[in-house]
Amino acid sequence: MSTANPILAVRDLQGWYGKSHVLQGVSFDVRDGELVTLLGRNGAGKTTTLRAIMGLMPRAAGHVSFEGRNILGQSPHVIARLGIALVPENRGIFGGLTVFENLNIAMRRDSMWTMARIRELFPELDARMKNAAGKLSGGEQQMLTIARALLTGPRILLLDEPTEGLAPVIVERLVGLFRRLKEEGLAVVLVEHNFDVCRSVADRHFIVDGGEIVWSGDSGQLASSESVISRHLSLENV
């Protein structure tokens, strides 16, 4: 993990849905090749933080710096072209298109993640390129969503609950994938309810509660912070 300046720096991020003030000063950073998690109860503001970074909030304030450039207020397509990719919780695949067509839509010529690399990284998809995406299993659809995001050539990947509802064998497969992405030098922000997954892959953790970061530390520090877990994380996370 690099000790250089962060690739992503979030400072005093505020966010609103209508009159509801959801984010109330979120601050954290991510370095090149680092995987960090955002942990917290349902409704704490984790997904909203990812949406605000990606330019998908109807109203946001504060400062979001990507590679030294303030991107808050930019359109989602501009942010994506700069090198940030979001893998949403709902996956957002085109069910009526084939796996290949879903991937081909996202492919960029300057991406280090070529179609050949995607086929090697996701053999499950390679065997189903002509299949309709809507006919894939839940795990295969999740892999398709991640693969599609990689083809855009991101410098940082935002993952929202990627293992939710998946069988343990698929979760284990995704954990291996996350480690591979780290080895490739890709920065990752992971929102994930599976505590074991988070502790096994993350360099650092940030706990979100009430729309702000209330704790940060590595896996060893988190494991020894029972009071923090009890106070800020739901029972399903422990």
Side-chain angles (χ1 to χ4, degrees), residues 10-221:
V10 178
R11 299 288 180 265
D12 192 29
L13 183 59
Q14 313 281 332
W16 293 262
Y17 287 116
K19 294 182 179 180
S20 181
H21 191 180
V22 182
L23 302 181
Q24 302 192 25
V26 171
S27 296
F28 70 98
D29 58 69
V30 189
R31 294 182 282 269
D32 253 336
E34 183 180 37
L35 191 153
V36 306
T37 67
L38 298 181
L39 303 173
R41 297 185 180 95
N42 289 336
K46 307 182 300 297
T47 293
T48 303
T49 297
L50 299 188
R51 288 178 56 81
I53 293 170
M54 203 67 208
L56 295 168
M57 285 290 289
R59 181 184 169 199
H63 190 87
V64 178
S65 174
F66 176 63
E67 296 187 317
R69 171 180 176 175
N70 186 22
I71 62 171
L72 193 65
Q74 296 288 333
S75 299
H77 73 275
V78 172
I79 294 171
R81 286 174 182 168
L82 289 174
I84 302 179
L86 171 65
V87 176
E89 185 177 6
N90 64 6
R91 298 174 186 153
I93 63 170
F94 299 104
L97 300 183
T98 66
V99 169
F100 177 82
E101 289 168 338
N102 269 271
L103 295 173
N104 193 51
I105 286 172
M107 192 162 48
R108 288 177 56 176
R109 294 179 181 176
D110 58 347
S111 173
M112 65 174 282
W113 299 94
T114 62
M115 188 69 80
R117 292 196 71 196
I118 290 299
R119 287 177 180 270
E120 180 269 327
L121 192 61
F122 298 92
E124 302 90 343
L125 300 180
D126 187 36
R128 292 166 174 76
M129 284 289 174
K130 296 181 179 180
N131 292 33
K135 300 295 185 180
L136 300 180
S137 68
E140 290 167 343
Q141 288 185 8
Q142 186 63 71
M143 292 179 191
L144 175 58
T145 309
I146 296 173
R148 186 178 59 184
L150 290 175
L151 282 169
T152 67
R155 294 289 313 283
I156 186 166
L157 190 63
L158 311 180
L159 294 169
D160 193 4
E161 300 284 5
T163 74
E164 185 174 15
L166 301 183
V169 64
I170 303 299
V171 173
E172 184 177 350
R173 171 78 173 85
L174 288 175
V175 166
L177 172 63
F178 301 157
R179 289 176 176 150
R180 171 76 179 273
L181 296 179
K182 283 179 59 178
E183 291 171 359
E184 295 279 354
L186 185 65
V188 178
V189 180
L190 173 64
V191 169
E192 176 57 56
H193 70 280
N194 188 320
F195 208 41
D196 289 336
V197 168
C198 292
R199 286 186 293 195
S200 67
V201 299
D203 298 293
R204 291 185 294 152
H205 308 278
F206 296 90
I207 296 180
V208 186
D209 201 353
E212 60 183 332
I213 302 295
V214 297
W215 184 93
S216 64
D218 61 26
S219 291
Q221 292 169 320

